[in-house]
Amino acid sequence: MEAQSRTAHAEDPTLAPSNVTAGPWGAGEGQDACKDHFIARNGKLFAGSHLIIDLWGAARLDDLTHVRETLIEAVRVAGATLLHIHLHHFTPNGGISGVAVLAESHISIHTWPEREYAALDVFMCGDAEPMKAVPVLQRAFTPSRIDCDELLRGEVNE
């Protein structure tokens, strides 16, 4: 199944082969094989950082190719691993909904081009840096305003 998945992605020219892998999990032994990818930052231990992003006054929200390329670039810049991307283009309004499934979690997008608004979730665990995706979104969609809230998911209270 893994070989078929890689072949299918290789046939899609919008996905760079370096961004598509089966993930870092092997059937290895020892402590690394059980690594849970939780994050330790500022004295907190948590599963991942979940950004809730609203783009207002944004452009190109109905351009399927542009949205796809932007999500792929956001994944790359954040240091995440793209497993699969699926986008749906609605008609007649042209809105787009979709998700980039990551080894580290996901990026989802829902756009309302008629309102120049987009809602995105960027959730990543491990060594990925989801905040690095925000400038990519800003450059790609040129919003007049960005609202971004960060939630620490799975925070461990010790």
Side-chain angles (χ1 to χ4, degrees):
M1 180 80 172
E2 184 178 319
Q4 291 173 345
S5 176
R6 286 186 181 185
T7 302
H9 287 300
E11 292 169 1
D12 186 341
T14 63
L15 296 176
S18 62
N19 286 347
V20 180
T21 71
W25 315 277
E29 297 177 8
Q31 190 172 8
D32 287 342
C34 297
K35 187 174 180 184
D36 62 14
H37 300 280
F38 268 54
I39 300 166
R41 182 175 60 188
N42 298 329
K44 296 182 179 188
L45 181 65
F46 53 98
S49 177
H50 194 152
L51 305 182
I52 308 298
I53 304 168
D54 290 330
L55 305 179
W56 296 97
R60 299 189 73 182
L61 299 176
D62 60 347
D63 183 337
L64 189 63
T65 301
H66 182 70
V67 169
R68 181 182 190 83
E69 289 171 355
T70 299
L71 293 183
I72 292 168
E73 177 70 5
V75 169
R76 186 189 66 74
V77 168
T81 308
L82 182 64
L83 300 177
H84 178 75
I85 190 165
H86 178 78
L87 298 172
H88 179 80
H89 198 196
F90 293 95
T91 56
N93 292 344
I96 296 170
S97 287
V99 64
V101 179
L102 312 176
E104 298 79 7
S105 197
H106 71 275
I107 299 176
S108 66
I109 186 167
H110 306 278
T111 73
W112 289 261
E114 69 277 14
R115 297 216 177 235
E116 299 179 333
Y117 170 74
L120 293 103
D121 286 9
V122 177
F123 181 30
M124 296 180 185
C125 64
D127 295 329
E129 299 177 79
M131 280 292 192
K132 289 187 174 181
V134 176
V136 173
L137 301 172
Q138 186 171 21
R139 279 191 307 275
F141 301 116
T142 62
S144 58
R145 184 176 108 211
I146 299 177
D147 297 330
C148 181
D149 292 309
E150 180 180 32
L151 304 171
L152 302 184
R153 303 296 305 270
E155 190 171 349
V156 177
N157 296 320
E158 294 181 348

